[in-house]
Amino acid sequence: MNPTETASATSPVPAASLPLFYRAPGLLRFQDHARLGLRRGPAFGFAAGATAIPVVAGEFALAGRDYPLVFASDEAAMPLAVTGLAAGQNLFVEADGQWRAGCYIPGYARRYPFIGMTVAEGGATLLGADLASDRLASDRLAAGDEEAELLFDAKGGPTPAGQAAIALCEAYAADHERTRAFAQALKANGLLAARTAQVNYEDAGRAVVQGFQLVDDAAFRALPGPVLAEFHAKGWLDLIVLHLASQQRWRALAAEAAKTRTQAAN
C-alpha cells in the first residue's frame, strides 16, 4: 500500500503493485492531459468497500478519535484506520458517496484520485492520478464540463486545482516516509503482535477481524532506556500512545456495525 509509487514517464504502474483504490495510475503531463479536469465536490464512493484505509503519522491524533488504528500484517507493517467490520463495507461512506459528517476523512482518501509518483529512485515527487477514476473528466469533456476544474492552464502550468493536488501529494509523501521509519522501528524492537477482534451481535451474528497487528503493551513497557529516549526524540512515543488509545474505538465501531445490520434487516 505504498502511496508513492515509482514509475517510468511512459509506463503505468504494474498491476501487481497497484495501491488501494488505484486502477490505472499514471503521471500527469500537459502534452497528454491538457484538458483533463477534476469534478467538483468530494465523493468517496470509491472507498465504500474499504474496511481499512492507510493513515500516516501526522493523522494519528485526529484519526484515532474515530477509528481503531492498527498495523498491517505484511512486511511494511504500515498503519491503517479500521473503517468496517464486514468484508466490503466501509461504515463511514454514506449511500450518496459522502463521508459521514463529523468524522475524520483519512488523507489517503482525500488525496484520491491523485498520487505522488517518481520517475527514478530518490527523485522528486511528481503529480500522478488514477486515470480510470470517474472523479476525473475525460480530455474531450473537461473544457465544457462546468463541474470540472482543469488541472493545467493554457501555458502548461498547474491551475489552483492542480496546485492543491500537488501540495497534498507532497505533504503525504513526506509524512509517509516518517511513518515508514516508525513502523520499521516498531518491528525491529519486537513491539508488534498479531491480533484478532471478534464482535458478537445481538442477533447471534458475529464478525471476526484478523490480519492486523497492534503494539504489545507489555513489550512497550519493557523497552530499555536508550530505545525509549530515541523514540521520545523522534516523536514515536506519542504515536504509540495515540495508537493504544484508539483501541477504545472498537466498541463504537461494533455499535455502528450492529446499527447497520439492523437497518439492513428492516
Side-chain angles (χ1 to χ4, degrees):
M1 285 185 190
N2 184 348
T4 304
E5 297 293 338
T6 299
S8 72
T10 57
S11 302
V13 176
S17 62
L18 290 179
L20 179 67
F21 304 142
Y22 295 83
R23 292 173 289 165
L27 286 170
L28 294 179
R29 301 182 299 182
F30 177 65
Q31 58 267 40
D32 297 324
H33 308 109
R35 305 183 73 78
L36 192 66
L38 176 68
R39 297 188 186 281
R40 291 187 176 90
F44 298 97
F46 63 86
T51 55
I53 295 178
V55 290
V56 288
E59 300 182 280
F60 273 39
L62 292 176
R65 297 176 182 177
D66 293 316
Y67 319 102
L69 302 181
V70 303
F71 294 87
S73 59
D74 58 16
E75 185 65 24
M78 292 294 282
L80 304 164
V82 181
T83 53
L85 298 178
Q89 183 183 59
N90 183 338
L91 296 169
F92 295 86
V93 175
E94 307 286 8
D96 61 359
Q98 299 302 298
W99 205 273
R100 176 164 300 172
C103 294
Y104 178 74
I105 306 173
Y108 189 95
R110 284 185 282 111
R111 183 190 61 171
Y112 184 83
F114 300 108
I115 189 169
M117 304 181 78
T118 59
V119 296
E121 188 69 27
T125 298
L126 303 177
L127 183 63
D130 181 2
L131 300 176
S133 171
D134 58 10
R135 298 268 346 261
L136 297 175
S138 67
D139 292 353
R140 53 191 171 82
L141 293 178
D145 189 343
E146 295 182 357
E147 296 182 354
E149 297 179 272
L150 292 177
L151 301 174
F152 294 98
D153 60 27
K155 296 181 180 180
T159 62
Q163 292 172 351
I166 292 171
L168 181 58
C169 288
E170 288 180 341
Y172 193 93
D175 206 354
H176 182 270
E177 290 307 307
R178 177 195 174 203
T179 308
R180 186 200 301 273
F182 169 59
Q184 291 305 302
L186 294 178
K187 286 183 57 180
N189 287 279
L191 292 179
L192 294 180
R195 292 288 187 268
T196 298
Q198 178 174 307
V199 178
N200 297 312
Y201 299 113
E202 292 183 356
D203 60 5
R206 71 172 186 170
V208 178
V209 184
Q210 53 190 0
F212 64 89
Q213 302 180 92
L214 302 179
V215 169
D216 183 80
D217 188 66
F220 175 42
R221 297 186 184 284
L223 283 178
V227 176
L228 282 173
E230 178 190 2
F231 273 44
H232 173 68
K234 294 181 176 179
W236 292 346
L237 289 183
D238 296 347
L239 298 180
I240 292 175
V241 171
L242 289 169
H243 154 67
L244 293 174
S246 77
Q247 303 314 302
Q248 299 300 316
R249 297 305 301 170
W250 284 105
R251 187 182 300 275
L253 194 66
E256 190 58 43
K259 178 182 176 182
T260 300
R261 283 171 62 89
T262 300
Q263 292 174 340
N266 295 332

